[in-house]
Amino acid sequence: MSALDTGRSRLRLPGDPPGGPRACAVWGLGVLVYFIAVVHRSSLGVAGIDAAARFHISASELSTFSILQVLVYAGMQIPVGMLVDRFGTKKVLTVGVVLLTAGQLGFALSHSYAMALGSRAVLGCGDAMTFISVLRLGSRWFPARRGPLIAQGAALFGMAGNLVSTILLARLLHSAGWTPTFVGTALGGALVLVLIVLFMKDHPEGYEPLPTGPRPRGAVRRQLADAWREPGTRLGLWVHFTTQFSAMVFLLLWGMPFLVEGQGLSRGAAGSLLTLVVLSNMVFGMVFGQIIARHHGARMPLALGTVAVTAASWAAVLAWPTPHAPLWLLITLCAVLGASGPASMIGFDFARPANPPERFGTASGVVNMGGFTASMIVLLAVGVLLDATGDNFTVALSSVFVVQALGVSQILRLRGQAARRERETITVSRVEAVHTAEATA
């Protein structure tokens, strides 16, 4: 470990909150909200074939569900980041859960394609308000050195929502039916809303953010411009863009059709492989969080290594000489895809040291746009290519490589600038901490 990394792990920066059991309890409530949001978001992933039959739609129309949901999510990231910085976590999460619940309930009761599309858009809007709020909550309750573990922990518990979808919802959908299954998940959101209202708090006592007063004209634009100007913010966006989408596209919509219709597996076997992606994600989340907390220099090798292994796994499956790849290779692909989510969290760890706490929500919004923008592009490309090629999954899923190549080129372009700027920022923070300690001694 370098001297710089050692200084980061031992140094407590000015204004750092203490953490502790109360922080874990409040942050845990925020994570529960994100868990529910992921259940709602990923519920279509196990219901794609059923949705196509229920609404009598083609592959392109089916992909529109997820594209619209992700489009709304990505488009909301920067506004949500600014709202969190301005109004705090509790208010934004409250509105988010209301929208999540309304969207899922509307989807449960939909009998027309148009109504179902509208419901998924509302759901995407509510979903957009959750993860950034949870990151902000963690930064307000825990010391800065815990940032990587807090981000990976939130993602880890969020992936448990995917696990519920792939195991529980898939079974309920075929036993209880469409409407009872989706109404049941909507009721989970209503319960979480009550807990937020009663127990959520934005920050510990004595660690209130400084009052900002009336905002001058152009303050919002300046806040965004300042966040974007930091190379770490832009690098974080491209890391998120390049790493996250492979698993997101697989779990959100196209994994089940690819495994069942493209690879000839039964629904049960396909569901087990989707579950493997989620379980692998949870394992990689714990491992990556520990590695980055101890060795900050491992961020870039982990991110680029994940992209390389993911691309190699997709290439092996899609280029297999027979129509159906062997089961061991599909298992390998799904295990590797599990690293995508934890690798995308590294993007936030590039943006965090580049921005002051009062701008972290905005910077997180910029970063979080990355993976969901890439997911939206690939979701659309796969649907269009499937219709154009007569359901040729090899051609359709090859769009993954194009998006990965774009992202890697931008990461390589920005990594040097971001590293230099981060070293400068950490040096200033260390000097401030020393001066603060001397003043209070």
Side-chain angles (χ1 to χ4, degrees):
M1 181 183 295
S2 68
L4 180 61
D5 291 339
T6 303
R8 281 182 60 93
S9 64
R10 294 178 180 176
L11 181 66
R12 182 168 172 178
L13 300 179
D16 255 359
R22 177 117 188 262
C24 291
V26 175
W27 177 75
L29 178 55
V31 169
L32 177 61
V33 177
Y34 182 55
F35 168 84
I36 294 294
V38 174
V39 172
H40 287 21
R41 177 200 305 168
S42 59
S43 57
L44 184 60
V46 296
I49 296 174
D50 300 84
R54 180 180 177 88
F55 301 114
H56 310 290
I57 53 178
S58 66
S60 296
E61 290 171 319
L62 178 60
S63 67
T64 304
F65 276 125
S66 296
I67 292 167
L68 178 61
Q69 182 179 333
V70 173
L71 175 64
V72 172
Y73 186 105
M76 287 287 293
Q77 289 310 291
I78 291 175
V80 166
M82 292 181 171
L83 288 173
V84 171
D85 285 337
R86 179 66 172 166
F87 297 107
T89 299
K90 182 173 182 176
K91 292 178 181 178
V92 175
L93 274 183
T94 300
V95 175
V97 173
V98 170
L99 292 174
L100 271 173
T101 304
Q104 190 76 331
L105 186 60
F107 195 61
L109 303 176
S110 295
H111 290 282
S112 70
Y113 180 54
M115 181 178 176
L117 274 179
S119 298
R120 296 308 285 186
V122 172
L123 191 154
C125 187
D127 186 14
M129 298 183 174
T130 58
F131 189 65
I132 290 176
S133 298
V134 174
L135 289 179
R136 168 64 177 249
L137 195 66
S139 70
R140 287 296 184 187
W141 280 90
F142 291 95
R145 68 181 183 276
R146 301 295 184 193
L149 287 176
I150 293 303
Q152 291 288 357
L156 173 66
F157 286 105
M159 285 307 295
N162 266 314
L163 197 61
V164 168
S165 293
T166 57
I167 295 178
L168 182 59
L169 290 189
R171 294 179 180 176
L172 283 176
L173 195 61
H174 297 292
S175 60
W178 179 282
T179 300
T181 298
F182 285 102
V183 168
T185 58
L187 292 178
L191 174 61
V192 169
L193 178 61
V194 175
L195 295 177
I196 293 174
V197 172
L198 293 178
F199 301 111
M200 177 68 71
K201 191 168 183 181
D202 286 342
H203 47 73
E205 290 82 359
Y207 292 87
E208 294 81 2
L210 295 174
T212 57
R215 287 197 167 192
R217 179 176 296 181
V220 172
R221 184 171 61 252
R222 187 158 48 253
Q223 174 98 338
L224 177 59
D226 288 344
W228 181 256
R229 192 175 296 116
E230 293 291 344
T233 304
R234 285 176 277 135
L235 177 61
L237 178 146
W238 285 107
V239 168
H240 201 269
F241 177 98
T242 313
T243 53
Q244 188 212 39
F245 76 91
S246 291
M248 176 67 67
V249 168
F250 200 79
L251 291 171
L252 198 60
L253 184 61
W254 291 121
M256 180 70 77
F258 168 67
L259 294 172
V260 174
E261 299 173 2
Q263 295 297 315
L265 299 183
S266 67
R267 281 198 180 202
S272 297
L273 288 180
L274 293 179
T275 302
L276 175 60
V277 176
V278 177
L279 292 174
S280 173
N281 185 295
M282 298 171 76
V283 172
F284 276 113
M286 291 186 286
V287 173
F288 282 15
Q290 292 290 338
I291 291 175
I292 296 171
R294 289 174 169 81
H295 308 284
H296 225 55
R299 293 172 299 170
M300 188 58 67
L302 283 176
L304 291 178
T306 299
V307 175
V309 175
T310 302
S313 300
W314 271 119
V317 170
L318 297 179
W320 195 258
T322 59
H324 297 159
L327 183 59
W328 65 265
L329 186 54
L330 296 175
I331 291 173
T332 301
L333 171 66
C334 291
V336 168
L337 287 176
S340 298
S344 72
M345 294 300 100
I346 297 172
F348 296 101
D349 205 47
F350 283 113
R352 186 182 298 104
N355 293 274
E358 62 271 14
R359 203 168 65 213
F360 184 55
T362 303
S364 297
V366 174
V367 172
N368 213 27
M369 279 184 62
F372 289 92
T373 301
S375 297
M376 180 177 59
I377 293 169
V378 177
L379 283 167
L380 176 61
V382 171
V384 170
L385 289 172
L386 283 175
D387 283 341
T389 61
D391 293 337
N392 187 322
F393 279 98
T394 299
V395 174
L397 288 170
S398 294
S399 56
V400 167
F401 305 122
V402 178
V403 176
Q404 284 180 327
L406 171 62
V408 168
S409 68
Q410 295 301 310
I411 291 172
L412 296 178
R413 182 178 68 86
L414 288 165
R415 64 177 181 173
Q417 302 174 41
R420 288 191 296 271
R421 177 63 175 155
E422 184 173 315
R423 285 194 295 269
E424 295 169 1
T425 303
I426 293 172
T427 301
V428 171
S429 297
R430 293 181 66 183
V431 171
E432 289 179 351
V434 171
H435 288 172
T436 301
E438 291 174 348
T440 57

